[in-house]
Amino acid sequence: SVGAEATIVLTGAAIGSNLGRVFRMEQKTLMLLVGCGAAGAIAGIFKAPIAGLVFVIEVLMLDLTMTSVLPLLISSVTAATMSYIFTGTEAMFKFSQTEAFGLGDVYKRQPYVLLLGVFCGLVSLYFTRVMNKVEGMYRKLGTYWKKFMLGGVMLSILIFLFPPLYGEGYDTIGSLLNGQFSHIMDKSLFYDLNDTYFGVLIFLTLILLTKVFASSATNAGGGCGGIFAPSLYLGCIAGFIFAHT
């Protein structure tokens, strides 16, 4: 119940690091190659070259000079181009704004957007603190097999109760963006409530609360994945619940 972005970023960064060590680059150039690998990985998986560039500048805190920005941009654009060639030009998430969005609407929606920001901030605070506590509990177990067994049991129960917790969750995000949320409860014990609007909101609220336990069980139990995808997943569900409530 985690994302593949962290693993692909680590892989890309490792490729850059290995290349730098093979050619015996200096430390500054080596760090730049690590950043280029990470930027190319993000740009390739999301087909978003600017996102890869901004991600590395913000996370690795590289300096904003021409000598660092240009290699990062070249790496990002090259990776995105390769993704276009092999997987097509369609974006991961499709969204179209069909309603007119005028200046008057901006002023009307500002209070809601501010409240949504507060709500998402509280959700992120809950996610971070609960994840730290759960992973701390796993660390106290000591042996690998205890962690593995507890993580497997916890994750199995959660996915049995809430099937959308399985995997990255991008299918659920796409369904919510396209308004096709009636089948989110498929193969779950709550399937009988999928025809009721209130039932869908309750189901998604429970997912919002339990996703952190599923992600923590995956990583702390011995898995390997990032929380970048879970954060997108939680943000999408939080926005849906807030808007429809």
Side-chain angles (χ1 to χ4, degrees):
S1 191
V2 289
E5 289 74 24
T7 49
I8 190 64
V9 167
L10 287 173
T11 303
I15 292 172
S17 176
N18 290 333
L19 283 174
R21 293 179 189 280
V22 167
F23 292 102
R24 298 182 180 181
M25 300 289 185
E26 59 180 3
Q27 183 65 25
K28 187 176 180 180
T29 307
L30 183 63
M31 284 299 299
L32 183 58
L33 286 174
V34 170
C36 286
I42 287 290
I45 201 168
F46 285 111
K47 300 178 184 177
I50 301 301
L53 172 67
V54 174
F55 172 82
V56 170
I57 290 176
E58 185 171 341
V59 173
L60 298 183
M61 305 291 289
L62 295 179
D63 54 335
L64 282 170
T65 60
M66 195 67 71
T67 54
S68 61
V69 172
L70 272 180
L72 290 172
L73 192 58
I74 291 172
S75 175
S76 299
V77 171
T78 304
T81 303
M82 295 301 292
S83 291
Y84 286 145
I85 293 173
F86 288 104
T87 62
T89 58
E90 293 184 357
M92 182 176 291
F93 302 121
K94 297 179 181 179
F95 174 76
S96 59
Q97 178 71 25
T98 57
E99 300 174 358
F101 192 80
L103 189 61
D105 296 324
V106 175
Y107 296 117
K108 290 179 182 178
R109 295 176 183 176
Q110 274 183 352
Y112 298 108
V113 175
L114 290 171
L115 288 174
L116 176 60
V118 173
F119 178 58
C120 289
L122 293 174
V123 170
S124 66
L125 182 64
Y126 162 78
F127 186 86
T128 303
R129 289 190 174 179
V130 173
M131 175 169 279
N132 289 335
K133 288 184 179 180
V134 173
E135 291 184 347
M137 178 188 70
Y138 274 86
R139 279 192 291 269
K140 293 179 182 178
L141 293 177
T143 60
Y144 173 81
W145 287 106
K146 289 181 180 179
K147 297 178 183 179
F148 176 75
M149 291 299 295
L150 179 60
V153 171
M154 182 185 292
L155 191 61
S156 299
I157 292 173
L158 287 171
I159 291 176
F160 176 75
L161 294 174
F162 309 105
L165 290 178
Y166 180 74
E168 297 172 323
Y170 288 154
D171 292 338
T172 303
I173 294 177
S175 298
L176 294 180
L177 286 174
N178 296 320
Q180 301 170 349
F181 47 84
S182 59
H183 66 277
I184 289 177
M185 296 186 189
D186 288 353
K187 301 179 182 178
S188 74
L189 297 177
F190 303 90
Y191 179 75
D192 293 337
L193 300 175
N194 69 338
D195 293 331
T196 63
Y197 201 66
F198 183 72
V200 173
L201 289 179
I202 293 296
F203 185 74
L204 290 175
T205 301
L206 291 174
I207 288 179
L208 193 70
L209 295 174
T210 55
K211 175 67 174 176
V212 60
F213 295 98
S215 297
S216 300
T218 303
N219 281 331
C224 179
I227 60 169
F228 188 76
S231 67
L232 295 179
Y233 183 75
L234 287 176
C236 180
I237 292 178
F240 182 89
I241 292 172
F242 180 88
H244 287 270
T245 299

